[in-house]
Amino acid sequence: DAGITQSPRYKITETGRQVTLMCHQTWSHSYMFWYRQDLGHGLRLIYYSAAADITDKGEVPDGYVVSRSKTENFPLTLESATRSQTSVYFCASSETRGGSYEQYFGPGTRLTVT
Amino acid sequence: QQQVKQSPQSLIVQKGGISIINCAYENTAFDYFPWYQQFPGKGPALLIAIRPDVSEKKEGRFTISFNKSAKQFSLHIMDSQPGDSATYFCAAPNTNAGKSTFGDGTTLTVKP
C-alpha cells in the first residue's frame, strides 16, 4: 500500500538495549524526519534527512542514530536505551518542490523503556 | 532556530461554538504556515495551510487568519463539533532545510 509506515507499532525494551525503529515511505519523497512526542513538549525533531546519505541533527539528537541508504527507508536506532527515551516516535516525509512543505506522518511507534 | 509559540495549551468548547487557537513565530522569511490535526493514537495530518500573500484562508468550517505584521496566525473552527476534538499543532517551516518547527500543541475538547 502507498504511504508511510512504521514498525513496530509498540515496543517494550530494557534499559541499555539497542532498539531500531523502522520507517518506510512509498512516495519517493526527498525529506524524511523523526520526531518524538511527549506530553507538554509537542513534536520535537530528532533527526532529518534531505536525501539518501544526507542526514542532520534536529533539536534532540542525543542517544539516537539514523541512516538513510535508500530514499524510501529511514531507520532510527537507540544505541543504549534509557527511560527518558520512553515516548511516541513519529516518522514523516515531505517533498518541498512546489513550495508545499506538507509533512506526511506515519502512525507512530510507542516505545517503553523499563 | 525558528521559535513557535502556540496558545492555549488546552481548550474546551461547547458544541456549535467557535474554537480559536493562536500561533506566534519569529522568523519572517517563511512563506508557508500550516495547521496539523492529530487524533488519539494517530499521526498528525495537515488540516489547512496559508501563504503570507493572503490574510485569510477558509476551508469549510476551518479558517486560518494571518497577521504578518504581528507575526501571528490563528486557526478558527466555526460550529465546533465533538468530532473536532483532537490536538492541533501549528508549524513554521525552515525552507532552507525543508524542516519545520512545531508548536507545543493545543488539546481541543468539544462538549456535546
Side-chain angles (χ1 to χ4, degrees), chain A residues 7-8 11 18-22 75-78:
Chain A
S7 62
K11 177 72 176 180
Q18 182 181 81
V19 59
T20 295
L21 310 183
M22 304 301 294
L76 176 73
T77 298
L78 288 66

Side-chain angles (χ1 to χ4, degrees), chain A residues 31 33 35 37 99-100 102-103, chain B residues 32 36 38 51 89 97-98:
Chain A
Y31 284 92
F33 310 86
Y35 296 91
Q37 185 174 31
S100 171
E102 176 181 355
Q103 293 192 17
Chain B
Y32 177 80
Y36 287 80
Q38 182 183 30
R51 296 193 180 279
F89 294 95

Side-chain angles (χ1 to χ4, degrees), chain A residues 10-81:
Chain A
Y10 303 90
K11 177 72 176 180
I12 300 174
T13 192
E14 295 178 342
T15 301
R17 297 252 186 187
Q18 182 181 81
V19 59
T20 295
L21 310 183
M22 304 301 294
C23 179
H24 176 79
Q25 53 108 350
T26 61
W27 295 302
S28 298
H29 283 170
S30 297
Y31 284 92
M32 295 189 74
F33 310 86
W34 274 107
Y35 296 91
R36 61 178 290 173
Q37 185 174 31
D38 305 290
L39 195 63
H41 290 281
L43 293 161
R44 291 185 291 176
L45 183 64
I46 303 171
Y47 269 96
Y48 68 102
S49 169
D53 297 322
I54 300 175
T55 62
D56 205 349
K57 296 178 180 179
E59 181 185 354
V60 288
D62 293 344
Y64 303 95
V65 175
V66 294
S67 62
R68 195 172 177 199
S69 58
K70 294 183 178 180
T71 299
E72 61 267 29
N73 297 323
F74 191 39
L76 176 73
T77 298
L78 288 66
E79 293 187 299
S80 179

